[in-house]
Amino acid sequence: MKRIGFLSFGHWSETPHSRTRTASDALLQAIDLAVAAEELGVDGAHFRVHHFARQLASPFPLLAAIGAKTERIEIGTGVIDMRYENPMYMAEDAGAADLIAGGRLQLGISRGSPEQVIDGWRYFGYEPSEGDTDADMARKHTEVLLAVLEGKGFAQPNPRPMFPNPPGLLRVEPHSPGLRERIWWGAGSNGTAVWAAKQGMHLMSSTLKNDEGGAPFHVQQAEQIRAFRKAWSEAGWQHEPRVSVSRSIFALTSDLDRAYFGDDGDSTDKVGYIDADTKAIFGRTYAAEPDVLVKQLAADEAIAEADTLLLTVPNQLGVDYNTHVLESILTHIAPALGWR
């Protein structure tokens, strides 16, 4: 059995074929797709966060709105770039969104990927400490966030407060119990997956990772998952680890599907550089008739290792079409592979 969710980058553009022309379209359609996905029986609605781009960037208002309009579906991010984040303020926002959703927030965070502008986090007022990299800064922000989400008091109260305080040191409010155990780390390498396990964060592995050894993408990703689970067990955490992988999967069941994605049937892994020093491998797109797709996905080692599958959706094709994409996977693919 697998949890099946969707992952949207929330793009918008004014191009002729886009059904998502504005930021307002992207946000409101994201809410509509989450509601439709819950009605289908999809397990999760996740959103990518990018700054300085025509994409979703401020996740917590969106997550809170979805939480208020749904009842069951998990809601989350994949991922928030921690180089840009004030962990105290983030803990407040995340706590509020989780309380509105009744404890359904699955918060994916990471050190981030190459962005639209050079060192964009500097414009947000953040600077690595002397001798640190931006990745070090992201991990330090993360460690503060995880500590704050524990809910323990740490701030000295004012002896003459505006409102009465509870006794002892104060914590960030609102606090949502259990959220600390629903934080995920988007790991781009085996090493960062192990680090995430040591911190007690679940593993979120996307459609690209550092190329570590030259094996096919799904084989490298499966090795990453196994390294994460081994480190989790050694760390002695009491709650169960979860692992998600992202995939672009399209069941070709209509002429419109074939027009959009028929040419992706011959897709293969690609290797490139995401920055001057980092060689990465990008996973293939799966697009085929359902019977062919079932055989292809059955051979994907990383999907087999994961408990959660996030389907990347082409959000600019509109809510109706993306609902169809999700329904096709639930109807034609998931039962045949034992995911449902």
Side-chain angles (χ1 to χ4, degrees):
M1 299 294 290
K2 293 202 188 301
R3 293 179 176 91
I4 299 175
F6 72 81
L7 174 62
S8 173
F9 280 50
H11 294 283
W12 74 85
S13 68
E14 297 177 359
T15 54
H17 299 293
S18 175
R19 289 182 169 82
T20 311
R21 300 295 187 92
T22 67
S24 176
D25 290 341
L27 290 162
L28 295 175
Q29 289 174 17
I31 297 169
D32 290 343
L33 182 58
V35 170
E38 180 174 76
E39 292 173 353
L40 286 175
V42 172
D43 299 300
H46 292 74
F47 302 92
R48 186 71 168 91
V49 177
H50 273 296
H51 301 288
F52 299 104
R54 291 189 173 188
Q55 294 176 238
L56 298 173
S58 52
F60 293 109
L62 174 62
L63 297 174
I66 292 172
K69 294 201 72 171
T70 57
E71 296 180 357
R72 179 195 56 81
I73 196 168
E74 293 182 341
I75 55 175
T77 50
V79 290
I80 296 173
D81 187 334
M82 291 302 292
R83 295 175 296 181
Y84 287 77
E85 293 297 320
N86 177 324
M88 297 290 182
Y89 202 161
M90 185 178 180
E92 292 180 343
D93 281 347
D98 194 42
L99 291 169
I100 289 170
R104 289 182 281 132
L105 188 61
Q106 303 288 337
L107 196 62
I109 61 177
S110 182
R111 64 136 282 182
S113 59
E115 294 290 298
Q116 299 298 106
V117 300
I118 297 170
D119 295 346
W121 28 270
R122 297 186 192 274
Y123 295 99
F124 278 54
Y126 300 111
E127 195 85 25
S129 302
E130 185 175 353
D132 282 352
T133 66
D134 60 313
D136 294 328
M137 178 176 67
R139 292 187 185 97
K140 288 181 177 178
H141 287 181
T142 298
E143 288 165 357
V144 173
L145 174 69
L146 295 178
V148 172
L149 291 179
E150 293 283 356
K152 298 175 182 176
F154 59 89
Q156 190 68 39
N158 188 334
R160 296 181 179 83
M162 181 178 295
F163 306 107
N165 283 324
L169 299 177
L170 302 182
R171 66 187 183 188
V172 164
E173 300 287 0
H175 171 68
S176 185
L179 179 56
R180 168 62 179 85
E181 296 185 357
R182 286 179 274 114
I183 306 299
W184 302 61
W185 184 259
S189 68
N190 292 359
T192 52
V194 168
W195 177 81
K198 292 178 179 178
Q199 307 304 313
M201 293 185 287
H202 305 293
L203 175 62
M204 187 170 277
S205 193
S206 73
T207 51
L208 77 150
K209 69 177 296 294
N210 292 9
D211 188 4
E212 299 175 277
F217 171 77
H218 72 99
V219 174
Q220 291 197 44
Q221 193 174 49
E223 292 170 352
Q224 181 192 47
I225 294 169
R226 288 190 285 270
F228 165 80
R229 288 211 170 101
K230 181 174 183 291
W232 185 284
S233 177
E234 291 172 349
W237 293 103
Q238 296 304 303
H239 57 297
E240 288 296 317
R242 287 182 60 183
V243 175
S244 74
V245 295
S246 302
R247 291 291 185 273
S248 298
I249 303 174
F250 301 99
L252 305 182
T253 64
S254 70
D255 290 340
L256 188 57
D257 295 331
R258 297 180 189 95
Y260 281 142
F261 301 107
D263 291 341
D264 291 323
D266 297 325
S267 172
T268 59
D269 293 346
K270 295 179 175 59
V271 175
Y273 284 83
I274 57 175
D275 58 40
D277 303 314
T278 308
K279 185 180 179 183
I281 184 167
F282 300 76
R284 58 170 293 186
T285 293
Y286 290 98
E289 304 293 328
D291 57 335
V292 175
L293 202 54
V294 167
K295 293 177 182 177
Q296 293 174 339
L297 294 171
D300 190 308
E301 292 184 19
I303 292 179
E305 289 279 352
D307 59 79
T308 301
L309 175 63
L310 298 183
L311 303 169
T312 60
V313 294
N315 74 281
Q316 289 189 91
L317 295 182
V319 174
D320 289 345
Y321 184 74
N322 281 292
T323 302
H324 159 74
V325 168
L326 297 173
E327 186 173 24
S328 293
I329 299 299
L330 294 182
T331 302
H332 300 290
I333 307 301
L337 287 166
W339 298 347
R340 281 289 190 271

